[in-house]
Amino acid sequence: MDTLDTLWLARALHVLGVVLWIGGVAFVTTTLLPAIRRDFPVAAQLAEFERYERSFGRQARWTTQLVGLSGLYLIWKLELWFRFQSPGYGWMHAMLAIYLLFSLLLFVLEPLFFHKLLRRLAARHPALPMTLLARLHWLLLGLSLLTTAAAVAGAHGWAPGA
């Protein structure tokens, strides 16, 4: 397979990974969390969220890594490392930052600390974990959508400060 054959495939996998990953974050933020908060008693909300989140967590972990690997491949094959030295390509930095943030959350903080912390909070303040989860998800979704919009614009010629 020559470079052109692999580039279209890498781009397609990259975009599909972003759609699945950020689309999932949007679903959890705008639909799942509000539904759980509306339809379940406060004492049961965290357990319900964790039940659904396990499935999404698996999907989010593999899609973030698909996005990371395909993005790295594109940077390597197209020799785009120079973009990280220019403020005009700040959207590249934003994509990397979002990827690293989600990877840290999904692979380190969530499995090792976050669930335990939420359960401890729920024991003292039953409604607080869901409030924090909703706010965190809105923040992550906002940052992700802003980064996605900037990356699409940047990939199609927008380069502020260049």
Side-chain angles (χ1 to χ4, degrees):
M1 217 184 266
D2 69 7
T3 300
L4 289 178
D5 288 339
T6 59
L7 287 176
W8 75 261
L9 180 60
R11 282 188 182 113
L13 291 173
H14 194 73
V15 170
L16 288 173
V18 169
V19 167
L20 287 171
W21 164 23
I22 305 305
V25 174
F27 172 77
V28 169
T29 304
T30 65
T31 304
L32 182 62
L33 281 166
I36 290 172
R37 294 176 86 184
R38 180 188 63 237
D39 296 343
F40 291 91
V42 171
Q45 290 176 1
L46 183 58
E48 272 310 300
F49 173 74
E50 287 180 335
R51 183 168 72 98
Y52 290 105
E53 189 270 338
R54 275 190 292 277
S55 295
F56 175 64
R58 283 191 295 275
Q59 182 243 320
R61 281 188 287 282
W62 73 262
T63 54
T64 55
Q65 296 318 296
L66 175 63
V67 168
L69 290 171
S70 59
L72 181 62
Y73 179 80
L74 289 166
I75 292 166
W76 172 63
K77 275 303 216 189
L78 295 170
E79 299 179 9
L80 300 175
W81 300 106
F82 71 93
R83 288 183 172 184
F84 290 102
Q85 298 173 339
S86 171
Y89 294 102
W91 52 273
M92 294 280 292
H93 298 89
M95 286 193 301
L96 179 59
I98 288 291
Y99 166 77
L100 292 172
L101 174 62
F102 271 92
S103 292
L104 178 66
L105 285 168
L106 292 166
F107 290 97
V108 180
L109 298 177
E110 181 186 301
L112 297 178
F113 307 106
F114 210 55
H115 288 288
K116 293 173 192 167
L117 173 66
L118 291 174
R119 286 187 204 114
R120 277 194 300 240
L121 280 174
R124 292 186 191 149
H125 308 283
L128 186 57
M130 293 303 287
T131 299
L132 293 175
L133 281 169
R135 288 180 183 166
L136 176 63
H137 277 82
W138 276 109
L139 175 65
L140 293 171
L141 178 59
L143 292 172
S144 298
L145 292 176
L146 183 63
T147 298
T148 301
V152 170
H156 292 278
W158 176 64

